[in-house]
Amino acid sequence: MPKHTIHAVTAAAALACLAAFCPTPVSASSASARIAWPGATPGATPGPAAPRFVPGACPKPPEPIEALTKARCGFLEVPENRSRPGGRTVKLAVAIIASAAAKPAADPVVFMAGGPGADTFDDIPFLIDSGLNKDRELIVMAQRGNLYDQPNLACPEVDRFNAQAVGLGYDAPQAEQLMLKAVKDCRARLTADGVDLSAYNTTENAADFADLRKALDIPRWNVYGYSYGSNLALTYLRLHPEGIRAVAIDSVTPPKDVTLPWTWGSTAEGIHNIFEACAAQPACKDRYPDLPRTLTEQVRKLEAHPLTLNVKPPSGGKPVKTVLDGGALLNLIVAFTPRPKDIPAALDELSRGNPQRFAQARAAGSVQPVGMFAHGLTNSIACGEWAPGYSESDVLKAGRKAFPGWPDTVLAQAPQLPFQYPMCGVWNVPDRAKVQRLATVSSVPALLVSGTFDVKTGASWAKGVARDLSRSTSIQVPGIGHWVVPQSPCAQHVLASFFARPTAPDTSCVDGLEPTPFTIIPK
């Protein structure tokens, strides 16, 4: 399987939303040694307050992306903090990819990536494979602070911690201590470089896209965002509705609802749907008759008696020390490692003394892409927009509601975001909950796409968003997890028909869809 395909269904899913500290099985080589943007200089630079697009060479990712060889690229130059006139200017990387059609539609589609903090350009192959540039231009811009931007809010310190963390208990005091030191060191380095961490938020991100449309002199365009990108798209629609023809959001993350306790409801919903789908397939139900009980038993058992193993990462190399406890087990499921169709088999094997699937997935985190993920952007948004107004006890309470009877040590950590409140104490950015946690009410045509197996952004959250979008269409794709469109030909068809006819998309392919069969292993 090509690397980009693997990334689409594993690493991209793991990083797509609420995943500041989840492992990603990619090369561990230093990004600074592998990535180049011709003419780029580090850090933000002084510049004019008026936003402008400056053409330039396309970035050169470590694994070449064919579409970038023919794309038009450059930087959008915008103020770092729009509330401080005369301040620094930041440069955001942009690629404009031509339509595959001889006569494309006049209105392009602009893409808003997940994360926040994930490499936007790495998503381009999946967007093209999904047909996003079939009938119109595709515009991709890295959100402020991301890879290829100036400045880049990467935290190599956190990446190195993530590689080390696989050999520690998921919620162990040593893990917390090391993570907080990594975050503190990253913050000190970024602020010493003059970065205004308070300016890396969803409001500024939305304004960047509004400025991009104007700088490119585009009268109208369409928006497609997934995971955090759906949060950003809804904020953009609320604050800058002018020039938006249609909005499609995938793996919906409602701005008014997203908090740290919120994550537990999505995780419980997705796991419940996976188990219910197994129970609806006779072969799966017969082979794995009580998956909720099996999962609870294994979480309790591993949290009381963690396994310490020497395991080879899937990418090869020497075995690494790997600790598998209850928190690690849950978070591997949330990170889609193993894939949902393999989860019943993996849990059954684990209950019979064979932890190999989960242990190898955990060991994959020992191989980290250093400097590729903008943890600084993630931290600023999580701490300014998701954490305020709630406490560690609220996270625990939500966890107990989602999974009654599980150990408090597991439930005390929001899925994919361990030790977030102490980390936010270190990161220290302003509370932005009042300006961000708002509903988007709009009559702009909208498409909401959800996957029933999504354990990061539960499918049911789209319903509340849709009520506020008077001309919206919603679909749920059975058996698909986070970031639906690249994984579902049906969702690709619906998205294409939506951009062709925003008020009357063809959703007929969804009828009758069922999850693919689960993996059945011999008894």
Side-chain angles (χ1 to χ4, degrees), residues 477-502:
V477 182
I480 300 294
H482 202 62
W483 197 12
V484 179
V485 166
Q487 302 179 66
S488 169
C490 174
Q492 293 167 20
H493 169 79
V494 174
L495 182 63
S497 73
F498 170 72
F499 285 141
R501 298 176 302 279

Side-chain angles (χ1 to χ4, degrees), residues 36-42 75 148 150:
W37 186 310
T41 54
F75 288 101
Y148 307 120
Q150 301 175 34

Side-chain angles (χ1 to χ4, degrees), residues 107-415:
D107 42 274
V109 58
V110 65
F111 172 63
M112 297 181 177
D119 170 19
T120 305
F121 284 74
D122 206 27
D123 290 337
I124 289 174
F126 316 128
L127 299 174
I128 291 174
D129 289 347
S130 299
L132 266 295
N133 74 322
K134 182 180 179 182
D135 300 315
R136 47 186 33 90
E137 275 188 338
L138 170 64
I139 300 172
V140 174
M141 181 170 73
Q143 294 159 26
R144 53 176 45 212
N146 275 10
L147 187 65
Y148 307 120
D149 288 345
Q150 301 175 34
N152 171 10
L153 269 60
C155 290
E157 303 89 345
V158 173
D159 295 327
R160 288 189 283 269
F161 160 74
N162 284 340
Q164 186 181 1
V166 302
L168 305 170
Y170 185 82
D171 61 334
Q174 186 182 7
E176 179 179 8
Q177 201 173 49
L178 291 171
M179 190 205 76
L180 293 180
K181 182 181 185 306
V183 170
K184 182 178 180 180
D185 290 348
C186 179
R187 189 188 196 283
R189 178 176 51 77
L190 291 175
T191 54
D193 288 342
V195 175
D196 178 0
L197 295 176
S198 70
Y200 293 80
N201 58 61
T202 305
T203 300
E204 293 283 7
N205 275 343
D208 293 339
F209 280 91
D211 284 340
L212 177 65
R213 185 184 66 81
K214 295 172 186 174
L216 295 178
D217 196 24
I218 296 172
R220 290 202 312 167
W221 64 9
N222 306 281
V223 177
Y224 170 62
Y226 83 96
S227 193
Y228 169 72
S230 73
N231 185 309
L232 174 56
L234 288 166
T235 303
Y236 172 56
L237 178 60
R238 174 171 60 85
L239 297 177
H240 307 279
E242 59 278 3
I244 301 176
R245 173 178 176 264
V247 175
I249 51 178
D250 181 333
S251 305
V252 180
T253 311
K256 73 182 181 69
D257 297 312
V258 176
T259 63
L260 295 182
W262 170 88
T263 59
W264 276 116
S266 286
T267 295
E269 179 183 349
I271 290 176
H272 171 80
N273 287 347
I274 292 169
F275 290 172
E276 284 290 298
C278 173
Q281 296 180 13
C284 194
K285 181 179 180 180
D286 179 66
R287 182 62 186 82
Y288 315 113
D290 195 350
L291 286 170
R293 179 181 58 81
T294 302
L295 176 60
T296 295
E297 287 178 351
Q298 294 309 305
V299 168
R300 287 174 174 170
K301 180 179 178 181
L302 288 174
E303 194 67 2
H305 304 287
L307 295 176
T308 301
L309 308 160
N310 287 320
V311 184
K312 279 189 177 182
S315 58
K318 296 180 179 179
V320 296
K321 178 187 175 184
T322 303
V323 174
L324 186 61
D325 58 11
L329 174 62
L330 172 70
N331 280 272
L332 289 169
I333 293 173
V334 176
F336 296 95
T337 50
R339 300 299 298 157
K341 71 182 183 68
D342 296 321
I343 286 173
L347 286 172
D348 183 79
E349 289 171 342
L350 181 63
S351 71
R352 298 172 189 273
N354 177 9
Q356 184 63 24
R357 292 193 204 229
F358 286 114
Q360 193 166 48
R362 176 80 163 143
S366 67
V367 183
Q368 288 285 325
V370 177
M372 302 280 280
F373 192 88
H375 296 284
L377 175 61
T378 312
N379 295 346
S380 288
I381 289 174
C383 295
E385 300 173 10
W386 305 343
Y390 295 89
S391 66
E392 290 173 289
S393 63
D394 293 317
V395 172
L396 177 58
K397 182 179 178 181
R400 287 172 174 168
K401 181 180 179 181
F403 295 101
W406 280 26
D408 281 356
T409 48
V410 174
L411 303 177
Q413 308 299 334

Side-chain angles (χ1 to χ4, degrees), residues 8-32:
V9 296
T10 54
L15 291 170
C17 179
L18 312 180
F21 304 106
C22 55
T24 310
V26 197
S27 170
S29 302
S30 170
S32 62

